[in-house]
Amino acid sequence: MTNKIEPEETIFSKIIRQEIPTPLLYQDELVTAFRDISPQAKCHILIIPNKLIPTVNDIVEQDELTLGRLFTVANKLAKEEGIADDGYRLIMNCNNHGGQEVYHIHMHLVGGQPMGKMLNI
Ligand code: AMP
């Protein structure tokens, strides 16, 4: 018998299940999207896998379909938000040095204004 330690749920799992009633911009069987509670740009949306994957380091090959869906939903939402043509930035932070705060991977879709230099170290 293996003692597999299940990753600890974050607030994002509760949002996915709507136990915390956050307005959703998109949801399907693989991913969920909603606005960031503390927007860093005029448009700041989080797109997250429904499956709890704590960090990019925990991604496995079986997650590839889900991860691809993050991009197609980012593309769709950027068009809906009217920011696709001007452009936007997609960000995924990993662990401490990456600045990750919530340990359930999520793609940040930020735009609606010039995003400046890529890194602000
Ligand atoms: P990261 O630093 O990449 O882990 O980003 C976590 C993001 O989640 C931050 O931008 C937070 O503002 C955002 N966030 C945390 N709690 C909530 C929430 N309840 N609803 C929406 N966004 C949240």
Side-chain angles (χ1 to χ4, degrees), residues 17-95:
R17 296 194 297 264
Q18 287 287 280
E19 290 164 17
I20 296 177
T22 300
L24 300 182
L25 300 177
Y26 182 89
Q27 187 166 54
D28 65 19
E29 78 285 8
L30 294 178
V31 307
T32 299
F34 48 90
R35 291 193 195 280
D36 196 289
I37 203 168
S38 173
Q40 302 299 304
K42 282 184 188 155
C43 175
H44 188 169
I45 293 170
L46 301 177
I47 310 163
I48 74 180
N50 296 339
K51 173 189 170 189
L52 170 51
I53 304 169
T55 78
V56 171
N57 293 335
D58 301 303
I59 290 170
V60 293
E61 205 176 325
Q62 290 90 316
D63 296 325
E64 287 174 359
L65 179 65
T66 301
L67 299 174
R69 186 70 58 85
L70 296 180
F71 281 93
T72 48
V73 172
N75 164 326
K76 170 184 154 60
L77 291 175
K79 287 174 183 154
E80 285 178 13
E81 295 284 309
I83 63 170
D85 288 345
D86 282 335
Y88 50 89
R89 185 168 291 158
L90 301 174
I91 303 165
M92 195 175 281
N93 297 320
C94 181
N95 275 340

Coordinates of all heavy atoms in Angstrom, one line a residue, residues 17-95:
R17 N -16.3 24.8 -6.9 CA -17.6 24.1 -6.5 C -18.7 25.1 -6.1 O -19.8 24.7 -5.8 CB -17.3 23.2 -5.3 CG -16.3 22.0 -5.6 CD -16.4 20.9 -4.5 NE -15.9 21.4 -3.3 CZ -14.7 21.3 -2.8 NH1 -13.7 20.7 -3.5 NH2 -14.3 21.8 -1.6
Q18 N -18.3 26.4 -6.2 CA -19.3 27.5 -5.9 C -19.8 27.4 -4.4 O -20.9 27.8 -4.1 CB -20.5 27.5 -6.8 CG -20.1 28.0 -8.2 CD -19.8 29.5 -8.2 OE1 -20.7 30.3 -8.3 NE2 -18.5 29.9 -8.2
E19 N -18.9 26.8 -3.5 CA -19.2 26.9 -2.1 C -18.9 28.3 -1.6 O -19.4 28.8 -0.6 CB -18.3 25.9 -1.4 CG -18.8 24.4 -1.6 CD -17.7 23.4 -1.3 OE1 -16.8 23.7 -0.5 OE2 -17.8 22.3 -1.7
I20 N -18.0 29.0 -2.3 CA -17.8 30.4 -2.2 C -18.4 31.0 -3.5 O -17.8 30.8 -4.5 CB -16.3 30.8 -2.0 CG1 -15.8 30.2 -0.6 CG2 -16.1 32.3 -2.0 CD1 -14.4 30.4 -0.4
P21 N -19.5 31.7 -3.4 CA -20.2 32.1 -4.6 C -19.5 33.3 -5.3 O -19.8 34.5 -5.2 CB -21.6 32.5 -4.2 CG -21.4 32.8 -2.7 CD -20.2 32.1 -2.2
T22 N -18.5 33.0 -6.1 CA -17.8 34.0 -6.9 C -18.3 33.9 -8.3 O -18.5 32.8 -8.9 CB -16.2 33.6 -7.0 OG1 -15.8 33.6 -5.6 CG2 -15.4 34.5 -7.8
P23 N -18.6 35.1 -8.9 CA -19.2 35.0 -10.3 C -18.1 34.4 -11.3 O -17.0 34.8 -11.3 CB -19.4 36.5 -10.7 CG -19.4 37.2 -9.4 CD -18.6 36.4 -8.4
L24 N -18.6 33.4 -12.0 CA -17.7 32.7 -12.9 C -17.8 33.3 -14.3 O -18.9 33.6 -14.8 CB -18.0 31.2 -13.0 CG -17.9 30.4 -11.7 CD1 -18.2 29.0 -11.9 CD2 -16.5 30.6 -11.0
L25 N -16.7 33.5 -15.0 CA -16.7 33.9 -16.4 C -16.8 32.8 -17.4 O -17.2 32.9 -18.5 CB -15.4 34.7 -16.7 CG -15.2 36.0 -15.8 CD1 -13.9 36.6 -16.2 CD2 -16.4 37.0 -16.1
Y26 N -16.3 31.6 -16.9 CA -16.3 30.4 -17.7 C -16.2 29.2 -16.8 O -15.4 29.2 -15.8 CB -15.1 30.5 -18.7 CG -15.1 29.3 -19.6 CD1 -15.8 29.3 -20.8 CD2 -14.4 28.1 -19.3 CE1 -15.8 28.1 -21.7 CE2 -14.4 27.0 -20.1 CZ -15.1 27.0 -21.3 OH -15.1 25.9 -22.1
Q27 N -16.8 28.1 -17.2 CA -16.6 26.8 -16.5 C -17.0 25.7 -17.4 O -18.0 25.7 -18.1 CB -17.3 26.7 -15.2 CG -17.0 25.4 -14.4 CD -17.5 25.5 -12.9 OE1 -18.6 25.7 -12.7 NE2 -16.6 25.3 -12.0
D28 N -16.1 24.7 -17.5 CA -16.4 23.4 -18.2 C -15.9 22.3 -17.3 O -15.6 22.5 -16.2 CB -15.9 23.4 -19.6 CG -14.4 23.5 -19.8 OD1 -13.7 23.1 -18.8 OD2 -13.9 23.8 -20.8
E29 N -15.8 21.1 -17.9 CA -15.4 19.9 -17.1 C -13.9 20.0 -16.7 O -13.5 19.2 -15.9 CB -15.8 18.6 -17.9 CG -14.8 18.2 -19.0 CD -15.0 19.1 -20.3 OE1 -15.7 20.1 -20.3 OE2 -14.3 18.7 -21.3
L30 N -13.2 20.8 -17.4 CA -11.7 20.9 -17.1 C -11.2 22.1 -16.4 O -10.3 22.0 -15.6 CB -10.9 20.7 -18.4 CG -11.1 19.4 -19.2 CD1 -10.3 19.4 -20.5 CD2 -10.6 18.2 -18.3
V31 N -11.8 23.3 -16.7 CA -11.3 24.5 -16.2 C -12.4 25.5 -15.7 O -13.5 25.3 -16.1 CB -10.3 25.2 -17.2 CG1 -9.3 24.3 -17.7 CG2 -11.1 25.8 -18.3
T32 N -12.0 26.5 -14.9 CA -12.9 27.5 -14.4 C -12.2 28.8 -14.5 O -11.0 28.9 -14.2 CB -13.3 27.2 -12.9 OG1 -13.9 25.9 -12.9 CG2 -14.2 28.2 -12.3
A33 N -12.9 29.9 -14.8 CA -12.3 31.2 -14.8 C -13.2 32.2 -14.1 O -14.4 32.2 -14.1 CB -12.1 31.7 -16.3
F34 N -12.5 33.1 -13.4 CA -13.2 34.2 -12.6 C -12.2 35.4 -12.5 O -11.0 35.2 -12.7 CB -13.6 33.7 -11.2 CG -12.6 32.9 -10.5 CD1 -11.7 33.6 -9.6 CD2 -12.4 31.6 -10.6 CE1 -10.8 32.9 -8.9 CE2 -11.4 30.9 -9.9 CZ -10.6 31.5 -9.1
R35 N -12.8 36.5 -12.1 CA -11.9 37.7 -11.9 C -11.1 37.6 -10.7 O -11.5 37.2 -9.6 CB -12.8 39.0 -11.9 CG -13.4 39.2 -13.3 CD -14.0 40.6 -13.4 NE -14.9 40.6 -14.6 CZ -14.5 40.7 -15.8 NH1 -13.2 40.9 -16.1 NH2 -15.3 40.7 -16.8
D36 N -9.8 38.1 -10.8 CA -8.9 38.2 -9.6 C -9.5 39.2 -8.6 O -10.0 40.3 -9.0 CB -7.5 38.6 -10.0 CG -6.5 38.3 -9.0 OD1 -6.5 39.0 -7.9 OD2 -5.7 37.4 -9.2
I37 N -9.5 38.8 -7.4 CA -10.1 39.6 -6.3 C -9.3 40.9 -6.1 O -9.8 41.9 -5.6 CB -10.1 38.8 -5.0 CG1 -11.2 39.4 -4.1 CG2 -8.8 38.7 -4.3 CD1 -11.5 38.5 -2.9
S38 N -8.0 40.9 -6.5 CA -7.1 42.1 -6.3 C -6.5 42.4 -7.7 O -5.3 42.2 -7.9 CB -6.1 41.8 -5.2 OG -5.2 42.8 -5.1
P39 N -7.2 43.0 -8.6 CA -6.7 43.1 -10.0 C -5.5 44.0 -10.1 O -5.4 45.1 -9.5 CB -7.9 43.7 -10.7 CG -8.9 44.2 -9.7 CD -8.6 43.5 -8.4
Q40 N -4.5 43.5 -10.8 CA -3.2 44.2 -11.1 C -3.2 44.9 -12.4 O -2.2 45.6 -12.8 CB -2.1 43.2 -11.0 CG -2.0 42.4 -9.7 CD -1.7 43.3 -8.5 OE1 -0.8 44.1 -8.5 NE2 -2.6 43.2 -7.5
A41 N -4.3 44.8 -13.1 CA -4.5 45.5 -14.4 C -6.0 45.7 -14.6 O -6.8 45.2 -13.9 CB -3.9 44.7 -15.5
K42 N -6.3 46.5 -15.7 CA -7.8 46.8 -15.9 C -8.5 45.5 -16.1 O -9.7 45.4 -15.7 CB -7.9 47.7 -17.2 CG -7.6 49.1 -16.9 CD -7.9 50.0 -18.1 CE -7.4 51.4 -17.8 NZ -7.1 52.2 -19.0
C43 N -7.9 44.6 -16.7 CA -8.5 43.2 -16.9 C -7.5 42.2 -16.2 O -6.3 42.2 -16.5 CB -8.7 42.9 -18.3 SG -9.2 41.2 -18.6
H44 N -8.0 41.5 -15.2 CA -7.2 40.5 -14.5 C -8.1 39.3 -14.2 O -8.9 39.4 -13.3 CB -6.6 41.1 -13.3 CG -5.6 40.2 -12.6 ND1 -4.7 40.6 -11.6 CD2 -5.2 38.9 -12.8 CE1 -4.0 39.6 -11.2 NE2 -4.2 38.6 -12.0
I45 N -7.9 38.3 -15.0 CA -8.8 37.1 -14.8 C -7.9 35.9 -14.5 O -6.7 35.8 -14.9 CB -9.5 36.8 -16.2 CG1 -10.5 37.9 -16.5 CG2 -10.2 35.4 -16.2 CD1 -11.1 37.9 -17.9
L46 N -8.4 35.0 -13.7 CA -7.7 33.7 -13.3 C -8.4 32.6 -14.0 O -9.6 32.5 -14.0 CB -7.7 33.5 -11.8 CG -7.0 34.6 -10.9 CD1 -7.2 34.2 -9.5 CD2 -5.6 34.8 -11.3
I47 N -7.6 31.7 -14.7 CA -8.1 30.6 -15.3 C -7.4 29.4 -14.7 O -6.2 29.3 -14.7 CB -7.8 30.6 -16.9 CG1 -8.3 32.0 -17.4 CG2 -8.5 29.5 -17.6 CD1 -7.7 32.3 -18.8
I48 N -8.2 28.5 -14.1 CA -7.6 27.4 -13.3 C -8.1 26.0 -13.7 O -9.3 25.9 -14.1 CB -7.8 27.7 -11.8 CG1 -9.3 27.4 -11.4 CG2 -7.5 29.2 -11.5 CD1 -9.6 27.7 -10.0
P49 N -7.3 25.0 -13.5 CA -7.8 23.7 -13.7 C -8.8 23.3 -12.6 O -8.5 23.7 -11.4 CB -6.5 22.8 -13.6 CG -5.4 23.7 -13.4 CD -5.9 25.0 -13.1
N50 N -9.8 22.6 -12.9 CA -10.7 22.1 -11.9 C -10.0 21.1 -10.9 O -10.2 21.1 -9.7 CB -11.9 21.4 -12.5 CG -12.8 22.4 -13.3 OD1 -12.7 23.6 -13.1 ND2 -13.6 21.9 -14.2
K51 N -9.1 20.3 -11.5 CA -8.3 19.4 -10.8 C -7.2 20.2 -10.0 O -6.6 21.1 -10.5 CB -7.6 18.4 -11.7 CG -6.6 17.5 -11.1 CD -5.7 16.8 -12.2 CE -4.6 16.1 -11.5 NZ -3.6 15.5 -12.5
L52 N -7.1 19.8 -8.7 CA -6.1 20.5 -7.9 C -4.7 20.0 -8.2 O -4.3 18.9 -8.0 CB -6.4 20.2 -6.4 CG -5.3 20.6 -5.4 CD1 -4.9 22.0 -5.6 CD2 -5.8 20.4 -4.0
I53 N -3.9 20.9 -8.9 CA -2.5 20.7 -9.2 C -1.8 21.8 -8.4 O -2.0 23.0 -8.7 CB -2.2 20.8 -10.7 CG1 -3.1 19.9 -11.5 CG2 -0.7 20.6 -11.0 CD1 -3.0 20.1 -13.0
P54 N -1.1 21.5 -7.4 CA -0.5 22.6 -6.5 C 0.4 23.5 -7.2 O 0.3 24.8 -7.1 CB 0.2 21.9 -5.4 CG -0.5 20.5 -5.3 CD -0.8 20.2 -6.7
T55 N 1.4 23.0 -8.0 CA 2.4 23.9 -8.6 C 2.7 23.3 -10.0 O 2.4 22.2 -10.3 CB 3.7 24.0 -7.8 OG1 4.5 22.8 -8.1 CG2 3.5 24.2 -6.4
V56 N 3.3 24.1 -10.8 CA 3.8 23.7 -12.1 C 4.7 22.4 -12.0 O 4.7 21.5 -12.8 CB 4.5 24.8 -12.9 CG1 5.1 24.3 -14.2 CG2 3.5 25.9 -13.2
N57 N 5.4 22.3 -10.9 CA 6.2 21.1 -10.6 C 5.4 19.9 -10.5 O 6.0 18.8 -10.6 CB 7.1 21.3 -9.4 CG 8.1 22.4 -9.5 OD1 8.5 22.8 -10.6 ND2 8.5 23.0 -8.4
D58 N 4.2 20.0 -10.2 CA 3.3 18.8 -10.0 C 2.6 18.3 -11.3 O 1.8 17.4 -11.3 CB 2.3 19.0 -8.9 CG 3.0 19.4 -7.6 OD1 3.8 18.6 -7.1 OD2 2.8 20.5 -7.1
I59 N 2.8 19.1 -12.4 CA 2.1 18.7 -13.7 C 2.6 17.4 -14.2 O 3.8 17.1 -14.2 CB 2.3 19.8 -14.7 CG1 1.5 21.1 -14.3 CG2 1.9 19.4 -16.1 CD1 1.9 22.3 -15.1
V60 N 1.7 16.5 -14.7 CA 2.1 15.3 -15.3 C 1.5 15.2 -16.7 O 0.6 16.1 -17.1 CB 1.6 14.1 -14.5 CG1 2.3 14.0 -13.2 CG2 0.1 14.1 -14.2
E61 N 1.9 14.3 -17.5 CA 1.5 14.2 -18.9 C 0.0 14.2 -19.1 O -0.5 14.7 -20.0 CB 2.2 13.0 -19.5 CG 2.4 13.0 -21.0 CD 3.1 11.8 -21.5 OE1 4.0 11.3 -20.8 OE2 2.8 11.4 -22.6
Q62 N -0.7 13.5 -18.2 CA -2.1 13.4 -18.3 C -2.8 14.7 -18.1 O -4.0 14.8 -18.4 CB -2.7 12.4 -17.2 CG -2.3 10.9 -17.4 CD -1.0 10.6 -16.7 OE1 0.0 11.3 -16.8 NE2 -0.9 9.4 -16.1
D63 N -2.1 15.7 -17.7 CA -2.7 17.0 -17.5 C -2.7 17.9 -18.8 O -3.2 19.0 -18.8 CB -2.0 17.8 -16.4 CG -2.1 17.1 -15.0 OD1 -3.2 16.6 -14.7 OD2 -1.2 17.2 -14.2
E64 N -2.0 17.3 -19.8 CA -1.8 18.2 -21.0 C -3.1 18.7 -21.6 O -3.1 19.9 -22.1 CB -0.9 17.4 -22.0 CG 0.5 17.3 -21.5 CD 1.4 16.5 -22.4 OE1 0.9 15.9 -23.4 OE2 2.6 16.3 -22.1
L65 N -4.1 17.9 -21.7 CA -5.4 18.4 -22.3 C -5.9 19.6 -21.5 O -6.3 20.6 -22.0 CB -6.4 17.3 -22.3 CG -7.8 17.6 -22.9 CD1 -7.7 18.0 -24.4 CD2 -8.8 16.4 -22.7
T66 N -5.9 19.4 -20.2 CA -6.4 20.5 -19.3 C -5.6 21.8 -19.4 O -6.1 22.9 -19.5 CB -6.3 20.0 -17.8 OG1 -7.1 18.9 -17.7 CG2 -6.8 21.1 -16.8
L67 N -4.2 21.6 -19.5 CA -3.4 22.8 -19.7 C -3.6 23.5 -21.0 O -3.6 24.7 -21.1 CB -1.9 22.4 -19.5 CG -1.6 21.8 -18.1 CD1 -0.2 21.3 -18.0 CD2 -1.9 22.8 -17.0
G68 N -3.8 22.7 -22.0 CA -4.2 23.3 -23.3 C -5.5 24.1 -23.2 O -5.6 25.2 -23.8
R69 N -6.4 23.6 -22.5 CA -7.7 24.3 -22.3 C -7.5 25.6 -21.7 O -8.2 26.6 -22.0 CB -8.6 23.4 -21.5 CG -10.1 23.9 -21.4 CD -10.8 23.8 -22.7 NE -10.9 22.4 -23.3 CZ -11.8 21.5 -22.9 NH1 -12.8 21.8 -22.1 NH2 -11.8 20.3 -23.4
L70 N -6.5 25.7 -20.8 CA -6.3 27.1 -20.1 C -6.0 28.1 -21.2 O -6.5 29.2 -21.2 CB -5.1 27.0 -19.2 CG -5.2 26.1 -18.0 CD1 -3.9 26.2 -17.1 CD2 -6.4 26.5 -17.1
F71 N -5.3 27.7 -22.3 CA -5.0 28.7 -23.3 C -6.2 29.0 -24.2 O -6.4 30.1 -24.6 CB -3.8 28.1 -24.2 CG -2.4 28.3 -23.5 CD1 -1.9 27.3 -22.7 CD2 -1.7 29.5 -23.7 CE1 -0.7 27.5 -22.1 CE2 -0.5 29.7 -23.1 CZ 0.0 28.7 -22.3
T72 N -6.9 27.9 -24.6 CA -8.1 28.2 -25.4 C -9.1 29.1 -24.7 O -9.8 29.9 -25.3 CB -8.7 26.9 -26.0 OG1 -8.9 26.0 -25.0 CG2 -7.9 26.3 -27.1
V73 N -9.2 28.9 -23.4 CA -10.2 29.7 -22.6 C -9.6 31.1 -22.5 O -10.3 32.1 -22.5 CB -10.5 29.1 -21.3 CG1 -11.3 30.0 -20.4 CG2 -11.3 27.8 -21.5
A74 N -8.3 31.3 -22.3 CA -7.7 32.6 -22.3 C -7.9 33.4 -23.6 O -8.3 34.5 -23.5 CB -6.2 32.5 -22.0
N75 N -7.8 32.7 -24.7 CA -8.0 33.3 -26.0 C -9.5 33.7 -26.1 O -9.7 34.9 -26.5 CB -7.6 32.1 -27.0 CG -8.2 32.3 -28.4 OD1 -9.2 32.8 -28.6 ND2 -7.4 31.8 -29.3
K76 N -10.4 32.9 -25.7 CA -11.8 33.2 -25.8 C -12.2 34.4 -24.9 O -12.9 35.3 -25.3 CB -12.6 32.0 -25.3 CG -14.1 32.1 -25.1 CD -14.7 30.8 -24.6 CE -15.9 31.0 -23.8 NZ -17.0 31.6 -24.5
L77 N -11.7 34.4 -23.6 CA -12.0 35.4 -22.7 C -11.4 36.8 -23.1 O -12.0 37.8 -22.9 CB -11.6 35.1 -21.3 CG -12.4 33.9 -20.6 CD1 -11.8 33.5 -19.3 CD2 -13.9 34.3 -20.5
A78 N -10.1 36.7 -23.6 CA -9.5 37.9 -24.1 C -10.3 38.6 -25.2 O -10.5 39.8 -25.2 CB -8.1 37.6 -24.6
K79 N -10.9 37.8 -26.1 CA -11.8 38.3 -27.2 C -13.0 38.9 -26.5 O -13.4 40.0 -26.9 CB -12.1 37.2 -28.2 CG -10.9 36.9 -29.1 CD -11.2 35.7 -30.0 CE -10.0 35.4 -30.8 NZ -9.9 34.0 -31.2
E80 N -13.6 38.2 -25.6 CA -14.8 38.7 -25.0 C -14.6 40.0 -24.2 O -15.5 40.8 -24.1 CB -15.4 37.6 -24.0 CG -16.1 36.5 -24.7 CD -16.5 35.4 -23.7 OE1 -16.6 35.6 -22.5 OE2 -16.9 34.3 -24.2
E81 N -13.4 40.1 -23.6 CA -13.1 41.3 -22.9 C -12.7 42.5 -23.8 O -12.4 43.6 -23.3 CB -11.9 41.0 -21.9 CG -12.3 40.0 -20.8 CD -13.2 40.6 -19.7 OE1 -12.8 41.6 -19.2 OE2 -14.2 40.0 -19.4
G82 N -12.5 42.2 -25.1 CA -12.1 43.2 -26.0 C -10.7 43.6 -25.9 O -10.3 44.7 -26.3
I83 N -9.8 42.7 -25.4 CA -8.4 43.0 -25.3 C -7.5 42.2 -26.2 O -6.3 42.3 -26.1 CB -7.9 42.9 -23.8 CG1 -8.0 41.4 -23.3 CG2 -8.7 43.8 -22.9 CD1 -7.4 41.2 -22.0
A84 N -8.1 41.4 -27.0 CA -7.3 40.4 -27.8 C -6.4 41.1 -28.8 O -5.2 40.8 -28.9 CB -8.2 39.4 -28.5
D85 N -6.9 42.1 -29.5 CA -6.1 42.7 -30.6 C -5.0 43.6 -30.0 O -3.9 43.6 -30.5 CB -7.0 43.5 -31.5 CG -7.9 42.6 -32.4 OD1 -7.6 41.4 -32.5 OD2 -8.9 43.2 -32.9
D86 N -5.3 44.3 -29.0 CA -4.2 45.1 -28.4 C -3.1 44.2 -27.7 O -2.0 44.6 -27.6 CB -4.8 46.1 -27.3 CG -5.4 47.3 -28.0 OD1 -5.0 47.6 -29.1 OD2 -6.3 47.9 -27.4
G87 N -3.6 43.1 -27.1 CA -2.7 42.2 -26.5 C -2.8 42.1 -25.0 O -3.4 43.0 -24.4
Y88 N -2.2 41.1 -24.5 CA -2.3 40.9 -23.0 C -1.1 40.0 -22.6 O -0.3 39.6 -23.4 CB -3.6 40.2 -22.7 CG -4.0 39.0 -23.6 CD1 -3.6 37.7 -23.3 CD2 -4.6 39.2 -24.8 CE1 -3.9 36.7 -24.1 CE2 -4.9 38.1 -25.7 CZ -4.5 36.9 -25.3 OH -4.8 35.8 -26.1
R89 N -1.1 39.6 -21.3 CA 0.0 38.8 -20.8 C -0.6 37.6 -20.1 O -1.6 37.8 -19.3 CB 0.9 39.6 -19.9 CG 2.1 38.8 -19.4 CD 3.1 39.7 -18.8 NE 3.8 40.5 -19.8 CZ 4.4 41.7 -19.5 NH1 4.5 42.1 -18.3 NH2 4.9 42.4 -20.5
L90 N -0.1 36.4 -20.3 CA -0.5 35.2 -19.5 C 0.7 34.9 -18.6 O 1.8 34.8 -19.0 CB -0.8 34.1 -20.5 CG -1.9 34.3 -21.5 CD1 -2.0 33.2 -22.5 CD2 -3.2 34.6 -20.8
I91 N 0.4 34.7 -17.3 CA 1.4 34.4 -16.3 C 1.0 33.2 -15.5 O -0.1 33.1 -15.1 CB 1.5 35.6 -15.3 CG1 1.8 36.9 -16.1 CG2 2.6 35.4 -14.3 CD1 1.6 38.2 -15.3
M92 N 2.0 32.4 -15.1 CA 1.8 31.3 -14.2 C 3.0 31.3 -13.2 O 4.1 31.1 -13.7 CB 1.6 30.0 -14.9 CG 1.1 28.9 -13.9 SD 0.7 27.4 -14.8 CE -0.9 27.8 -15.5
N93 N 2.8 31.6 -12.0 CA 3.9 31.7 -11.0 C 4.1 30.3 -10.4 O 3.1 29.5 -10.2 CB 3.5 32.7 -9.9 CG 3.3 34.1 -10.4 OD1 4.1 34.5 -11.3 ND2 2.4 34.8 -9.9
C94 N 5.3 30.0 -10.0 CA 5.6 28.7 -9.4 C 6.5 28.9 -8.1 O 7.6 29.5 -8.2 CB 6.4 27.8 -10.3 SG 6.7 26.2 -9.6
N95 N 5.9 28.5 -7.0 CA 6.6 28.4 -5.7 C 7.1 29.8 -5.3 O 6.7 30.8 -5.8 CB 7.8 27.4 -5.8 CG 7.3 26.0 -5.4 OD1 6.2 25.8 -4.8 ND2 8.0 25.0 -5.8

